[in-house]
C-alpha cells in the first residue's frame, strides 16, 4: 500500500485517485477549488461519470480516500505526487501549462522526503524535463530526491472507471527505470501490459494515440461524404473494413464528428508542436478541417431541406459531445447551434445529462424537458448525440408533434427505411439517404 497525493480533481484526477484508493492505496485528492472539495467531502460529484459516485463514497467511507485544498496536508508523507491538472488549449492550440507549473512549484516548496512525481495530465513532449527543471531550480541549494515519471491517461469520458480498471496498457516514461517500476507496482493489481520507455516517448504516445483515433473518425467521415455522392452505405463500408484485424471496427462510426475536452485540444496541440519543431503536420490539419466541415454539412442539409433557416424552428437532440457524459466542451452540437442561430434559426434543445452545463454556455435556446417537447412545432430535428434514450423514442409521436417532418440524424442511430416509411424527410451521414422520402 502506498501514499498518493493526486493534484487536480477533474475527470482524470478524481477517477485516478479514487481507483488507486480502491486498489488499496492511501490517497489524498487535492484541488484549489474549495467548493469542489467541499462537495466531494459531502459526496457531491463535480462531473457526471457512470459509477463514480458509488466508488468515491465507498473509498471515502473506508478512509482510504480524502479530499483537501491544503497542499501541505496532501503532500505530507506521500510516496507519489500525481499531477492531474487541466492543460487547456492556449492560442493557436498550444497547451497552457500554468497549472502544471504551479503544481510542480508547490511540490518543490513543500516536499522534503524522496518522492516520485507522476505527470498524468496530457502534456506536450518535453514537459517532463521541464517539470524536473522547475523543481531543481526551486530547490537550488536544498536538493530534493525526486524523479518525474510520465504516465499518460487513456480514459474515455462515460467509461473512465472501466478504462482505468481494465486498461489496454499502462505507459510509463522516465529517465530512472526504478522510479518507473515503482509506479508500475501501483498498477500491478490490474494485471495489464505495462510499457516502460523514456519520458518524451511516453508523452508522444499519448498525443499520437489520440490523434490517430481522431484521424480514424475523420477518415470515415470523409468516406461517408463520398458515399453520399456515390450511393454507398458508410455503415456497411466500415463494417466491411472492420473485418480486417489491422483496421478493426472501433472509431469508424461516421457522424457529425469528434468533440470533447481531449481530441480537439490534443490534435491541435500536436499540430502546434510539429510546427514549433519545424515539421508540417498536413495530415493533422486535414483531420481537423474534415471534422470542422462535418458540422457545417449538417447546416447545409437543413438549409437545403428548409429552403433557408431564418425563423425556422430547429429541435436539437443531444448537447454533450458523446453519450453517458454531461461534458459539452467542444461538442459538435455547440458549433451547429451557433451556425444555425447565425442564420436566424430558432433553437429548442434537450440532453439527458448536459442541460446544466449547456445553460451556462448556450444563450437564446429554449431548453426542453424531453425529446417530445423538442419536436413540438419544430420544422426540423437534428440528432446530435447518440444517447440510448433517443434510440427508443416514439417516432410516431415525434412525427405528429413536428410542424415539418425533416430529420437530420447526425449519428446514424435510426434506420433509413423505417424513417422513410413513416414519411420523414430523413437525412443521415453517408448511408445513401439524402432526404429521399420515396425509395
Ligand atoms: C478520448 C480517447 O478515446 C481517450 O483514450 C483519451 O484518454 C481521451 O480522449 P473521450 O474524449 O472521452 O476519450 O471520448 P471518445 O469516446 O474517444 O470520443 C471522442 C469523440 O469522438 C466524441 O465526440 C465521439 O462522439 C466521437 N466519435 C467516437 C465519433 O464521432 N465516431 C466514433 O466512431 C467514435
Amino acid at each position: 500500500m502506498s501514499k498518493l497525493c493526486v493534484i487536480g480533481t477533474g475527470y482524470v484526477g478524481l477517477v485516478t485517485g479514487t481507483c488507486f484508493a480502491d486498489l488499496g492505496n492511501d490517497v489524498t485528492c487535492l484541488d484549489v477549488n474549495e467548493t469542489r472539495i467541499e462537495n466531494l467531502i459531502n459526496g457531491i460529484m463535480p462531473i457526471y461519470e457512470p459509477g463514480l459516485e458509488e466508488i468515491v463514497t465507498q473509498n471515502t467511507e473506508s478512509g482510504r480516500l480524502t479530499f483537501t485544498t491544503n497542499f501541505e496536508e496532501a503532500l505530507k508523507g506521500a510516496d507519489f505526487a500525481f499531477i492531474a491538472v487541466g492543460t487547456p488549449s492556449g492560442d493557436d492550440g498550444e497547451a497552457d501549462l500554468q497549472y502544471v507549473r504551479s503544481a510542480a512549484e508547490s511540490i518543490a516548496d513543500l516536499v522534503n522526503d524522496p518522492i516520485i512525481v507522476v505527470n498524468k495530465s496530457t502534456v506536450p513532449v518535453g514537459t517532463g524535463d521541464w517539470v524536473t527543471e522547475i523543481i531543481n531550480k526551486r530547490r537550488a541549494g536544498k536538493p530534493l530526491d525526486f524523479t518525474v515519471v510520465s504516465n499518460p491517461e487513456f480514459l474515455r469520458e462515460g467509461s473512465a472507471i472501466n478504462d482505468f480498471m481494465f486498461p489496454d496498457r499502462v505507459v510509463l516514461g522516465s529517465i530512472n527505470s526504478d522510479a518507473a517500476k515503482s509506479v508500475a507496482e501501483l498498477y500491478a493489481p490490474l494485471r495489464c501490459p505495462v510499457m516502460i520507455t523514456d519520458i518524451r516517448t511516453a508523452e508522444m504516445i499519448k498525443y499520437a494515440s489520440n490523434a490517430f483515433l481522431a484521424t480514424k473518425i475523420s477518415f470515415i467521415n470523409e468516406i461517408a461524404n463520398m458515399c453520399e455522392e456515390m450511393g454507398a452505405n458508410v455503415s456497411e463500408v466500415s463494417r466491411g473494413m472492420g473485418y480486417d484485424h489491422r483496421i478493426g471496427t472501433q472509431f469508424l462510426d461516421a457522424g457529425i464528428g469528434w468533440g470533447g475536452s481531449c481530441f480537439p485540444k490534443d490534435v491541435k496541440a500536436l499540430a502546434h508542436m510539429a510546427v514549433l519543431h519545424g515539421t508540417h503536420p498536413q495530415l493533422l490539419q486535414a483531420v481537423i478541417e474534415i471534422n470542422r466541415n462535418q458540422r457545417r454539412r449538417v447546416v447545409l442539409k437543413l438549409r437545403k431541406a428548409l429552403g433557408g433557416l431564418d425563423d425556422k424552428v430547429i429541435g436539437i437532440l443531444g448537447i454533450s459531445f458523446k453519450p453517458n457524459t454531461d461534458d459539452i466542451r467542444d461538442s459538435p452540437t455547440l458549433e451547429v447551434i451557433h451556425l444555425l442561430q447565425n442564420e436566424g434559426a430558432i433553437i429548442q434543445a434537450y440532453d439527458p445529462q448536459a442541460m446544466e452545463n449547456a445553460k451556462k454556455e448556450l444563450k437564446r435556446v429554449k431548453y426542453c424537458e424531453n425529446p417530445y417537447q423538442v419536436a413540438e412545432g419544430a420544422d426540423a430535428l437534428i440528432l446530435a448525440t447518440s444517447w440510448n434514450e433517443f434510440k427508443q423514442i416514439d417516432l410516431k409521436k415525434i412525427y405528429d408533434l413536428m410542424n415539418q417532418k425533416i430529420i437530420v440524424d447526425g449519428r446514424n442511430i435510426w434506420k433509413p427505411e423505417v424513417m422513410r416509411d413513416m414519411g420523414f424527410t430523413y437525412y443521415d451521414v453517408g448511408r445513401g439517404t439524402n432526404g429521399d422520402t420515396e425509395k
Side-chain angles (χ1 to χ4, degrees):
M1 188 275 275
S2 299
K3 188 163 180 0
L4 280 60
C5 164
V6 178
I7 305 168
T9 57
Y11 98 95
V12 173
L14 182 55
V15 169
T16 298
T18 305
C19 289
F20 272 131
D22 207 55
L23 294 179
N25 298 289
D26 174 3
V27 179
T28 303
C29 285
L30 174 78
D31 204 298
V32 293
N33 182 321
E34 297 197 4
T35 312
R36 177 174 280 222
I37 290 296
E38 208 175 304
N39 286 341
L40 279 163
I41 291 169
N42 296 318
I44 300 163
M45 297 302 112
I47 52 170
Y48 171 77
E49 181 62 47
L52 184 62
E53 189 169 341
E54 294 78 359
I55 194 171
V56 167
T57 308
Q58 274 161 20
N59 286 283
T60 313
E61 282 168 2
S62 76
R64 281 194 301 269
L65 179 63
T66 52
F67 299 99
T68 182
T69 56
N70 180 318
F71 262 85
E72 200 146 3
E73 179 194 324
L75 285 164
K76 198 168 166 32
D79 306 302
F80 302 89
F82 278 74
I83 299 179
V85 294
T87 53
S89 265
D91 300 337
D92 51 47
E94 182 166 19
D96 176 352
L97 296 177
Q98 60 172 306
Y99 306 115
V100 174
R101 169 182 283 279
S102 75
E105 287 172 348
S106 302
I107 292 166
D109 294 348
L110 298 166
V111 175
N112 292 303
D113 301 322
I115 192 164
I116 293 175
V117 179
V118 185
N119 269 349
K120 180 57 88 171
S121 299
T122 301
V123 290
V125 176
T127 303
D129 298 335
W130 178 70
V131 167
T132 303
E133 257 169 60
I134 289 173
I135 297 175
N136 278 331
K137 247 190 225 142
R138 205 119 165 141
R139 291 296 293 240
K142 281 192 310 167
L144 175 65
D145 174 2
F146 77 101
T147 304
V148 174
V149 175
S150 165
N151 174 211
E153 53 87 13
F154 299 102
L155 308 177
R156 288 166 297 166
E157 292 190 28
S159 57
I161 293 168
N162 184 67
D163 290 347
F164 183 98
M165 293 299 189
F166 305 97
D168 290 335
R169 78 307 204 181
V170 166
V171 171
L172 301 169
S174 181
I175 194 166
N176 173 335
S177 60
D178 290 342
K181 284 178 189 142
S182 304
V183 179
E185 271 310 298
L186 294 174
Y187 290 98
L190 305 183
R191 292 192 180 75
C192 65
V194 177
M195 176 185 173
I196 295 181
T197 182
D198 65 84
I199 204 159
R200 286 173 176 257
T201 302
E203 290 164 339
M204 178 53 93
I205 289 170
K206 168 67 186 176
Y207 277 104
S209 300
N210 264 12
F212 180 72
L213 291 167
T215 301
K216 259 190 116 171
I217 297 165
S218 283
F219 174 81
I220 202 66
N221 281 334
E222 182 154 79
I223 296 296
N225 299 340
M226 294 179 203
C227 286
E228 287 185 2
E229 301 313 319
M230 303 179 198
N233 179 331
V234 73
S235 300
E236 290 294 277
V237 169
S238 95
R239 189 161 69 92
M241 288 169 66
Y243 285 110
D244 184 327
H245 71 278
R246 295 169 303 171
I247 299 173
T249 56
Q250 302 209 34
F251 283 67
L252 280 180
D253 296 334
I256 60 173
W258 40 268
S261 64
C262 296
F263 281 1
K265 168 176 77 73
D266 295 351
V267 177
K268 272 191 282 189
L270 186 57
H272 180 80
M273 276 180 245
V275 170
L276 274 190
H277 290 80
T279 58
H280 181 37
Q282 60 263 47
L283 177 60
L284 292 181
Q285 281 163 352
V287 167
I288 292 167
E289 185 46 36
I290 292 165
N291 194 55
R292 197 176 293 129
N293 194 35
Q294 286 307 96
R295 299 150 189 219
R296 294 192 196 115
R297 285 177 67 90
V298 169
V299 177
L300 205 67
K301 286 174 182 170
L302 272 181
R303 192 188 304 122
K304 186 181 106 181
L306 289 165
L309 293 165
D310 195 21
D311 270 346
K312 295 294 188 309
V313 178
I314 312 288
I316 308 277
L317 294 179
I319 304 173
S320 60
F321 79 96
K322 63 184 275 197
N324 302 320
T325 179
D326 62 351
D327 196 343
I328 63 168
R329 284 175 290 178
D330 218 331
S331 168
T333 313
L334 301 185
E335 187 171 352
V336 168
I337 289 177
H338 289 141
L339 290 170
L340 291 169
Q341 286 178 328
N342 289 347
E343 296 193 39
I346 298 155
I347 305 296
Q348 47 199 45
Y350 165 74
D351 184 283
Q353 286 293 339
M355 296 298 262
E356 285 324 303
N357 288 333
K359 286 171 185 169
K360 292 179 207 149
E361 180 94 14
L362 286 168
K363 305 303 171 206
R364 294 183 298 124
V365 169
K366 181 186 164 199
Y367 289 101
C368 301
E369 282 160 26
N370 58 59
Y372 303 104
Q373 269 187 21
V374 173
E376 223 164 306
D379 295 304
L381 267 192
I382 300 175
L383 186 282
T385 313
S386 52
W387 283 95
N388 278 338
E389 75 172 75
F390 296 146
K391 296 172 184 168
Q392 337 288 347
I393 54 172
D394 177 347
L395 287 165
K396 175 80 184 65
K397 190 172 168 188
I398 292 283
Y399 183 91
D400 294 340
L401 286 163
M402 289 179 75
N403 178 32
Q404 298 188 58
K405 317 298 183 182
I406 296 164
I407 286 198
V408 176
D409 182 354
R411 297 292 181 182
N412 290 344
I413 70 165
W414 291 306
K415 290 191 170 56
E417 58 283 3
V418 170
M419 304 304 275
R420 272 198 305 274
D421 292 351
M422 295 184 76
F424 286 107
T425 301
Y426 176 74
Y427 296 84
D428 59 23
V429 181
R431 295 187 300 176
T433 48
N434 40 19
D436 301 345
T437 45
E438 309 305 323
K439 260 288 188 302

